[in-house]
Amino acid sequence: MSILSDFLRLGMPAPRSLLDFAAQAAVLEASESLPCIAEVLLECRLQSKRQQVDLSQRLLREQLPQWQRAWALSRPRFHGSEEISNLIERWARDEQWYRLLKGIWLEFDLAGVDAAPAVFFDIDRSDYDQPERVIAWMSQCANLLGIAADVKVALFEALRCSALPACSAQPSYIGLMLSRQPASLRVQFSGLRPNQVLALLESVPYLYPVNAIDKAVSLLMNFYDRVVLCVDFAPTLQARVGLEAFSASLVPGARLADMIVALEDASLCTREKKAELLALPYYASPSLENLNWPEDFVLESLLGPEEEVMQIDCRLNHLKLVCNPDKPLEAKAYLAVSNQHLVTGSDLAASASM
């Protein structure tokens, strides 16, 4: 059983507007063919006509050997899964690349029948003082996807501009978007102030959807002092831009609840989905008698240290605004589902036992 299976089958108050029954069935089928990991992300569209939910699974660098063995045994039924396994195994043998790696996210686009997962590589921030290593590895990724030389030049120019003092951004994730047609390389720049977004994009010679980006930036800068910029590089440059916002970057005095309400006011979120986002997080532990806990979960909790409490939680991880040319601005919410071992007496442990 996966952590997602446990969460959906417990009878917890799952957010039905964000995660309807069809979406639950899709993510359950996907998660149960994957090695069990303690945390997953569910990517939920917030507009009324967008019910698709995608699945992401995180593993840390130290989990790679265990994950590779489990992946081989479970034989996931995804297009390109064998290629991904070979790719990660090959790069794991490269000491320079392995040192650069902090973790990996696998993202599954569940809209397609034979969708291949995207692979997001989390770059270790301690290596930013050696940008040539980051650029060399990104060049490997670009070559792997057949990205043209002029697009690589644009990528490296964006990396160079992001490191300028006036910008102060850092590449934090590199994503191989294998399920996209054509396959693309996504680079995420962290630490940007909202008003620096367009300045960084101007370093890339492409016509981005400026009006949508302006609207997104105007909305975000009322609540956040830092955002994450997502830019796609493919065999030809992609005009799609994403802006991610995390609670840790809220400006002093700003509340996440107010941002969620602002999304509804901007027609980017339905009233039902707003209400479910405002109700998060959910916590549950085996001490809650009205839930049908899996036996293996209860056993693990009983066998653990006496001062620890096991719990499953569902929380809002971050929000994202997506800017596409010739399309309305789109909003997404990323729900994190995880299990944790909490020390008795902590605030979260107390809330889990209420």
Side-chain angles (χ1 to χ4, degrees):
M1 290 291 183
S2 68
I3 179 62
L4 195 57
S5 303
D6 292 342
F7 168 69
L8 292 175
R9 290 173 173 158
L10 279 177
M12 292 175 69
R16 301 301 183 193
S17 292
L18 293 167
L19 191 63
D20 64 15
F21 290 108
Q24 288 187 37
V27 295
L28 270 176
E29 181 180 2
S31 67
E32 289 185 346
S33 68
L34 295 170
C36 186
I37 297 295
E39 181 179 25
V40 297
L41 280 187
L42 300 174
E43 177 186 316
C44 305
R45 278 71 171 170
L46 298 183
Q47 278 91 334
S48 59
K49 296 182 180 179
R50 301 299 306 275
Q51 293 299 329
Q52 180 187 339
V53 175
D54 292 336
L55 169 70
S56 299
Q57 176 177 289
R58 185 187 185 196
L59 59 149
L60 301 176
R61 176 172 57 185
E62 55 268 23
Q63 296 172 316
L64 266 178
Q66 174 189 358
W67 176 85
Q68 286 172 309
R69 290 192 296 270
W71 178 278
L73 290 173
S74 63
R75 300 184 183 279
R77 301 182 301 275
F78 293 102
H79 175 69
S81 60
E82 184 175 349
E83 289 80 355
I84 288 175
S85 181
N86 293 338
L87 177 70
I88 294 175
E89 183 178 352
R90 186 182 76 189
W91 278 337
R93 293 196 299 264
D94 185 326
E95 183 178 349
Q96 279 198 332
W97 178 83
Y98 191 75
R99 284 183 56 198
L100 185 64
L101 179 69
K102 183 179 179 182
I104 290 176
W105 279 99
L106 295 177
E107 180 179 291
F108 298 87
D109 182 352
L110 301 181
V113 176
D114 294 318
V119 190
F120 283 86
F121 299 99
D122 186 3
I123 301 301
D124 193 328
R125 312 307 192 267
S126 63
D127 274 315
Y128 287 143
D129 58 347
Q130 301 181 52
E132 68 280 356
R133 290 178 59 186
V134 178
I135 290 177
W137 187 69
M138 284 192 184
S139 183
Q140 283 190 43
C141 296
N143 291 338
L144 182 73
L145 296 178
I147 291 178
D150 59 334
V151 180
K152 286 172 62 176
V153 169
L155 166 62
F156 299 147
E157 181 63 15
L159 291 172
R160 185 188 69 79
C161 290
S162 73
L164 296 176
C167 188
S168 68
Q170 296 176 330
S172 51
Y173 282 88
I174 304 167
L176 276 68
M177 312 294 289
L178 304 177
S179 57
R180 297 288 168 86
Q181 293 299 324
S184 60
L185 178 70
R186 175 171 297 173
V187 182
Q188 297 185 350
F189 298 93
S190 299
L192 272 171
R193 296 191 183 279
N195 59 7
Q196 295 175 329
V197 169
L198 281 174
L200 176 56
L201 289 176
E202 286 173 356
S203 69
V204 182
Y206 199 86
L207 184 61
Y208 286 99
V210 175
N211 290 339
I213 296 172
D214 274 339
K215 181 178 179 181
V217 167
S218 298
L219 181 59
L220 291 171
M221 68 190 311
N222 292 325
F223 301 95
Y224 298 92
D225 60 5
R226 300 285 177 177
V227 295
V228 178
L229 171 66
C230 308
V231 185
D232 290 355
F233 299 85
T236 58
L237 281 170
Q238 304 294 291
R240 186 178 188 273
V241 171
L243 294 171
E244 297 183 343
F246 293 78
S247 296
S249 298
L250 285 167
V251 299
R255 299 190 313 150
L256 179 59
D258 295 332
M259 173 63 191
I260 294 171
V261 170
L263 289 177
E264 184 196 13
D265 293 342
S267 300
L268 295 173
C269 180
T270 67
R271 180 177 299 179
E272 295 78 14
K273 293 180 180 182
K274 177 200 72 174
E276 291 184 347
L277 289 175
L278 292 175
L280 294 172
Y282 303 141
Y283 300 110
S285 73
S287 61
L288 294 175
E289 297 178 355
N290 62 328
L291 298 179
N292 183 26
W293 285 92
E295 291 183 3
D296 57 340
F297 195 99
V298 175
L299 182 61
E300 184 179 351
S301 183
L302 291 173
L303 293 177
E306 185 176 352
E307 68 276 7
E308 287 188 357
V309 174
M310 279 191 68
Q311 76 169 29
I312 292 179
D313 68 75
C314 176
R315 65 190 184 280
L316 176 59
N317 194 69
H318 65 283
L319 297 167
K320 183 175 184 179
L321 298 180
V322 180
C323 311
N324 275 304
D326 305 321
K327 290 184 180 180
L329 187 64
E330 181 183 6
K332 300 179 180 180
Y334 290 76
L335 309 184
V337 180
S338 62
N339 62 13
Q340 302 180 41
H341 294 256
L342 303 176
V343 177
T344 305
S346 67
D347 291 340
L348 284 178
S351 66
S353 60
M354 291 177 61

